[in-house]
Amino acid sequence: MTVTLRPATEADLMPVGALHQRSRVAAYASFLPPEALAEPGPEAMGRYWAERWGWERDDHRMTVAERDGRLVGFSYLGPDDEGDPATGLLNAIHLDPAERGRGTGRALMVDALAAMRARGWSRAALWVLAANDHARRFYEHGGWAPTGVSRDEHVGPAVVAQLRYARRL
């Protein structure tokens, strides 16, 4: 079966949180300690998305991916976090771990880039964990390149480096 993309609804936010938590654990377990991935749990992550979406829904877009009626991924985009009005920010693409390699991430990225172009942005940016080689290869294969900008963020008690990537739309 093919994957179907659609705009998220409020009813999706708790399942998105659970999927986000599973995705993080699977993607980051090889380079982050277990205590960094223990919290937030699925329910807390769902509450996080419900609160965030409540604040940002007017200028952000969440798209969910479904396969056979089951949520298997999502993307989230909005204005640039550095204030550039010509740039959109791809805040997230997360997949259920079983979806890796099935084209769902690519479908979400293509959809997000088209949505950014439709909003009039000429450039897209994102942040990716420096140690997440799989994600970095995924984005680089999609035409993204590191900008040379980095920052440190907390994932639980762990401090991790993030790299900013960008591409033309």
Side-chain angles (χ1 to χ4, degrees), residues 1-149:
M1 286 283 180
T2 60
V3 69
T4 303
L5 304 183
R6 65 169 175 79
T9 67
E10 280 190 58
D12 294 314
L13 299 176
M14 291 304 286
V16 159
L19 182 143
H20 188 180
Q21 194 269 345
R22 288 192 311 277
S23 174
R24 285 169 36 110
V25 169
Y28 306 161
S30 67
F31 58 87
L32 285 177
E35 60 273 13
L37 299 172
E39 293 296 329
E43 189 171 316
M45 192 67 85
R47 287 191 305 271
Y48 162 81
W49 278 109
E51 182 175 338
R52 183 172 181 179
W53 202 56
W55 287 103
E56 296 178 341
R57 70 176 1 146
D58 291 339
D59 63 356
H60 283 66
R61 177 181 185 258
M62 180 182 281
T63 299
V64 296
E66 294 179 324
R67 186 180 301 279
D68 299 328
R70 188 175 67 83
L71 178 72
V72 295
F74 74 96
S75 66
Y76 194 67
L77 63 88
D80 182 40
D81 63 343
E82 294 187 352
D84 180 359
T87 300
L89 185 70
L90 180 57
N91 293 276
I93 291 180
H94 281 278
L95 301 178
D96 186 276
E99 273 304 292
R100 282 177 86 173
R102 298 189 73 187
T104 304
R106 175 96 176 119
L108 285 164
M109 183 176 17
V110 167
D111 176 75
L113 294 173
M116 289 179 176
R117 280 195 275 312
R119 289 184 176 204
W121 293 320
S122 59
R123 180 176 148 103
L126 62 83
W127 292 95
V128 63
L129 297 183
N132 192 344
D133 294 332
H134 180 80
R136 292 179 63 189
R137 282 191 306 272
F138 169 76
Y139 290 120
E140 289 167 7
H141 186 264
W144 300 79
T147 65
V149 176

